[in-house]
Amino acid sequence: MTHTAKPTRSIEELRSQRWFASDDIRGFAHRQRMQAQGLAREAFMGRPVIGVINTWSDLSPCHAHFRERAEAVKRGVLQAGGYPLELPALSLGEVMVKPTTMIYRNLLSIECEELLRSLPIDGAVLMGGCDKTTPGLIMGALSMDIPAIFMPAGPMLNDRYKGQAVGAGTHTKKFWAEYTIGNIDKAEWVGLEARMTRTTGTCNTMGTASTMTAIAEALGLSLPGAMSIPAVDAEHSRMAWRCGERIVGMVWEDLKPSRIVSKASFMNAIAAYMALGGSTNAAVHLPAMAGRAGIEITVDDLDEIARKVPVIANLYPSGEKLMEDFHFAGGLPAVLNKIAKHLDLSAMTVTGRTLGDNIVHWPSTDDGTILDPETPLIRGTVDCPEAGIALAVLRGNLCPDGAVVKPSAATPALLRHTGRALVFESNAEMLAAMADEALDVDESTVLVLRNGGPVGGPGMPEWGNLPIPKKLLRQGVRDMLRISDARMSGTHYGTCILHVSPESAIGGPLALLKTGDMIRFDIGERRLDMLVPDEELAERRRAWVAPVQPFTRGYTRMFQREVTQAHLGCDFESLSGNGPTPEPAIY
């Protein structure tokens, strides 16, 4: 039972009544058009109206089950005495949307916020899960600030290959490397294509999707344990029903995001992120989400907590298990119990209870999936004590505003490295070069990609996991130091320095780097520098010319003009903050 508080509002106080309760021509027209759909007047009058924000699409396989789940949500709303209205919203299927879903995260946040503002909605169930849908929906809901609960899509089921657990995304990258050099033949490759993603649902690794749904749950915006329920599990439908039931209670209690989300709850979410060994993409989304609530979260906050909270989830890409295993082991509440000393357990949640109350009696199983902080997934060594942490934030003359790296998914020997830069101006140029058997590269070379940031990409695509050159793959090399102002899929791995800020396209120092320059990276010092004299850099600065941007109109042009840099969250300047936005006038 989640409804613990008594109603604090009457029906007359709900915002939907501005549309439906007035005895004037506007109220008449609103009620009239609802009845044109075959509804009885009493079906929607005198009830809380709940918006079911559904990001279903035929081109979003992660959300393919959302048609059915929306019906379960509606049943919960109706049985709790509310009236549900399903509202389709932009669906950001990570694999299909080009050039990148990241360019549309802010657009989804706008759509979510304005759907809730412009229509007679008292509370909302936010249906998402694929990478950018979670932060996009939550950003919109935080800005609108009416009662809202996030319903995660849930991960797909596990697959096996030659006795090995196979994770979406992570193993695609691994198998592709083997296929390109002939270790996997064509027939086997086609077979893997057909079976690696066995069901609907989000990636079954601790990629961006599961990282962000875990963050939503740790923030208190989802029901306890919801994020790990597999998409096709019968329990997932029951969870959707409970979301519908609970949101009605939240409306009566006026339990809106501003009463749930706080600096403390964001610190809880960051601690959970680190314990899970989550995706580096969260380092972009967290400042943006917090900014919508008027809370300042910086990348330095992330680095500080990463130093304290070890990775204890044995999940790909840092570990060796998958989300189905994680669910059976107790899911996020089991992790939170393990790191309770790093949490503010008094933080409020959508249940109407505190985080501590939600997790205190949560069952968990010790099967090697969720470890103890005293025995983390990856232990640091004398040579590299930072090897097992989930995130490190770097500074230096290559990234004065910051860059990030995920040590737990990197090669420890490369976390302190000096090497010669090989610089690529575009993703296309880089991909073509990787197949060149005569490429001037060895395993100590530092691969660098620029023009992959928020403006340069545009949209900061997931180009940061630069492939290993084919000639080195044949020699057995499987990791190298790689640097870019782009992002990396949360399912990927390797020693990749990402989110270099400010980006090269706006004249960040990465724009001044040349092939042959020496780069020094030291994880202990949190430093990333190009070993080029200041005088030489000043000369290059004077000669630098900004790349021509081909977008002269449309949403992409709007994005490039408004977007902030990676360390600030890539939100639009006009969307950030929690200043008041008036309710619409009704004429």
Side-chain angles (χ1 to χ4, degrees), residues 9 24 71 80 97 111 140 147 149 173 192 209 217 226 232 255 258 269 271 286 338 379 395 407 419 425:
R9 294 199 292 175
D24 57 16
E71 295 306 311
V97 174
E111 183 174 25
I149 189 169
K173 194 78 173 178
L192 286 167
E217 188 175 319
V232 295
L255 187 55
S258 59
L286 277 162
K338 296 274 190 179
R379 287 185 177 274
R395 293 292 199 290
E425 297 293 337

Side-chain angles (χ1 to χ4, degrees), residues 43-86:
F44 60 91
M45 288 290 289
R47 299 169 180 260
V49 177
I50 306 300
V52 182
I53 309 296
N54 189 351
T55 54
W56 171 88
S57 164
D58 270 334
L59 282 173
S60 183
C62 299
H63 298 176
H65 55 310
F66 271 6
R67 275 180 165 174
E68 296 176 0
R69 294 299 176 271
E71 295 306 311
V73 171
K74 291 178 186 177
R75 287 195 298 273
V77 171
L78 287 167
Q79 289 176 272
Y83 191 77
L85 295 170
E86 187 176 348

Side-chain angles (χ1 to χ4, degrees), residues 175-184 189 437 468 470 473-474:
F175 294 156
W176 173 252
E178 301 306 317
Y179 176 61
T180 58
I181 59 173
N183 290 341
I184 292 177
W189 179 247
E437 299 277 5
I468 306 299
K470 184 181 286 189
L473 286 173
R474 294 192 193 280

